Amino acid sequence: MSQVETVRNGVDIEQLFGTLDAIKAQPEIAKFRFRVANHWIDGAHNRSTIQGFYAAGGEDTTRGEAFEVDAGEPAILLGSDTGPNPAEHLLHALAACLTTSVVYIAAARGVPLTKVESELEGEMDVQGALGLSDEYRNGFERIRASFRVTGDAPAEKLREVVRRAQQRSAVFDMVSHGVPVAVDVTTD
Amino acid sequence: MSQVETVRNGVDIEQLFGTLDAIKAQPEIAKFRFRVANHWIDGAHNRSTIQGFYAAGGEDTTRGEAFEVDAGEPAILLGSDTGPNPAEHLLHALAACLTTSVVYIAAARGVPLTKVESELEGEMDVQGALGLSDEYRNGFERIRASFRVTGDAPAEKLREVVRRAQQRSAVFDMVSHGVPVAVDVTTD
């Protein structure tokens, strides 16, 4: 494989298969912990700082700077639009994870992609979250995701890559099936 | 109530109770649809554009500009750190929603807050998402959220506000219980 051919879809294929081999040889390096620290600013405005994580047996030291991501609410939900709202951030997490899964799986299977675009929509009745009715849940009733994927492969192969991405995406799994969340509180 | 007292924790209390009354009178305005549009840039780098939403019987027109949120992966997960990764974005969505729920509920109950901070951590074994083992799920096995909340109220009242926030947060509901996600694909 020439130097040029080791990168497909922006993914280093040698590194990809090297990572898989390394984990097969030493499965204990597969444990990851991701984290965010969030602080309230005012009203619906809060900010997460995202930097450190645990991977491959130790704390990551490669991220020189923390990412900051703001959240807010539009005026109709009593905010001043200081960022996407939390439910929109959840849709972004889902879109991003499915997209990266499509890109990595296509890279591993020798499928050069030219486009991956998606539109996601979630429906909710806010009577649930506002505590006005027990007939509605707090979150989205359902989410619809529409993907457009183009590349140098037959349509059926592109569809198969998207199916496989759904089977392997971390956030698709979490949003579809739920995750136990434990909350503790200190007040001083 | 004087003009000064109508805002608590950065939330307009009159507008808050006015919104609840309006929805009680006309429950059909409680239907919301939130959306993101995402496009792949290169490798693990993709970007969501977030602007329009449906609320109170029509399309929102108050957001003059779209928000853009980037995702990426660190080097160990074959990316170039172009943004928080999708699982970190999910933790941000959860932190942001619990925080805003705490702030709004405290405002409604007359509890002035001085601080809401949180740290969230999710654990995963990437053998799941990489397709190397059926023993592990793709997403987090569990999420831990540690909140520090201070304000002008007894500790038990602050704890009660956080409990109520867990019961009402849209993203806490979705991450804890899951949401049906339908994915469709076009390839041209």
Side-chain angles (χ1 to χ4, degrees):
Chain A
M1 202 182 256
S2 78
Q3 196 62 28
V4 171
E5 289 170 330
T6 66
V7 175
R8 186 182 298 125
N9 299 335
V11 180
D12 187 316
I13 309 298
E14 281 190 19
Q15 192 195 345
L16 173 59
F17 287 112
T19 299
L20 294 173
D21 289 341
I23 291 172
K24 282 179 202 162
Q26 207 180 342
E28 63 271 24
I29 65 173
K31 303 229 173 277
F32 279 61
R33 292 178 182 206
F34 293 108
R35 309 181 188 114
V36 310
N38 184 282
H39 69 276
W40 174 49
I41 297 171
D42 194 31
H45 188 197
N46 62 71
R47 179 175 296 156
S48 287
T49 303
I50 302 170
Q51 184 168 14
F53 61 92
Y54 176 94
E59 283 296 314
D60 175 75
T61 57
T62 66
R63 275 186 178 161
E65 281 188 51
F67 297 112
E68 291 191 338
V69 189
D70 282 31
E73 292 288 354
I76 195 168
L77 290 172
L78 312 171
S80 55
D81 234 6
T82 52
N85 79 8
E88 291 170 324
H89 278 296
L90 179 122
L91 292 177
H92 164 61
L94 178 58
C97 199
L98 283 168
T99 298
T100 297
S101 299
V102 165
V103 169
Y104 281 22
I105 289 164
R109 296 187 176 192
V111 176
L113 298 172
T114 46
K115 188 190 288 184
V116 185
E117 293 176 349
S118 59
E119 294 180 6
L120 280 74
E121 183 175 79
E123 288 178 46
M124 66 171 71
D125 189 305
V126 297
Q127 291 179 85
L130 295 175
L132 295 176
S133 169
D134 290 336
E135 280 180 55
Y136 302 96
R137 66 180 294 177
N138 301 326
F140 292 137
E141 293 291 333
R142 66 190 67 80
I143 295 171
R144 273 184 289 261
S146 298
F147 273 78
R148 172 169 298 179
V149 180
T150 61
D152 188 14
E156 189 41 49
K157 184 137 194 177
L158 296 171
R159 290 178 182 282
E160 171 56 24
V161 166
V162 178
R163 271 195 296 275
R164 184 69 178 166
Q166 285 177 252
Q167 289 164 5
R168 287 300 167 201
S169 158
V171 176
F172 184 83
D173 169 31
M174 291 190 274
V175 171
S176 296
H177 300 116
V179 180
V181 182
V183 178
D184 65 70
V185 189
T186 58
T187 56
D188 50 15
Chain B
M1 201 182 259
S2 79
Q3 196 63 28
V4 171
E5 290 169 328
T6 67
V7 174
R8 186 182 298 126
N9 300 334
V11 180
D12 187 317
I13 310 298
E14 280 190 19
Q15 192 195 345
L16 173 58
F17 288 111
T19 299
L20 294 174
D21 287 342
I23 291 173
K24 281 180 203 163
Q26 207 180 342
E28 62 272 21
I29 65 172
K31 303 229 173 275
F32 279 63
R33 293 177 180 207
F34 293 108
R35 310 179 187 115
V36 310
N38 183 282
H39 69 278
W40 173 50
I41 296 172
D42 194 29
H45 189 197
N46 62 72
R47 180 174 295 156
S48 288
T49 303
I50 303 169
Q51 184 167 14
F53 62 91
Y54 176 94
E59 284 295 314
D60 174 76
T61 56
T62 65
R63 275 187 178 159
E65 281 188 51
F67 298 112
E68 292 192 338
V69 190
D70 281 32
E73 291 289 355
I76 196 168
L77 290 173
L78 310 172
S80 54
D81 234 8
T82 51
N85 79 8
E88 291 170 324
H89 278 297
L90 179 121
L91 292 178
H92 165 61
L94 179 58
C97 199
L98 283 168
T99 297
T100 297
S101 299
V102 164
V103 169
Y104 281 21
I105 289 164
R109 295 184 177 195
V111 176
L113 297 173
T114 46
K115 187 190 286 185
V116 184
E117 293 176 349
S118 60
E119 294 181 8
L120 281 74
E121 182 175 80
E123 289 178 44
M124 67 171 70
D125 189 306
V126 296
Q127 290 178 83
L130 294 175
L132 295 176
S133 170
D134 290 337
E135 280 179 53
Y136 302 97
R137 67 182 294 177
N138 302 326
F140 291 135
E141 293 290 334
R142 67 191 66 80
I143 296 170
R144 273 184 289 262
S146 296
F147 274 78
R148 173 170 296 179
V149 180
T150 60
D152 188 14
E156 189 40 49
K157 184 136 191 178
L158 296 171
R159 289 177 182 282
E160 171 56 25
V161 166
V162 177
R163 273 195 294 272
R164 185 67 177 167
Q166 284 177 252
Q167 288 164 5
R168 286 301 167 201
S169 158
V171 176
F172 184 84
D173 169 32
M174 291 190 273
V175 171
S176 297
H177 299 117
V179 181
V181 182
V183 178
D184 67 69
V185 188
T186 59
T187 57
D188 50 17

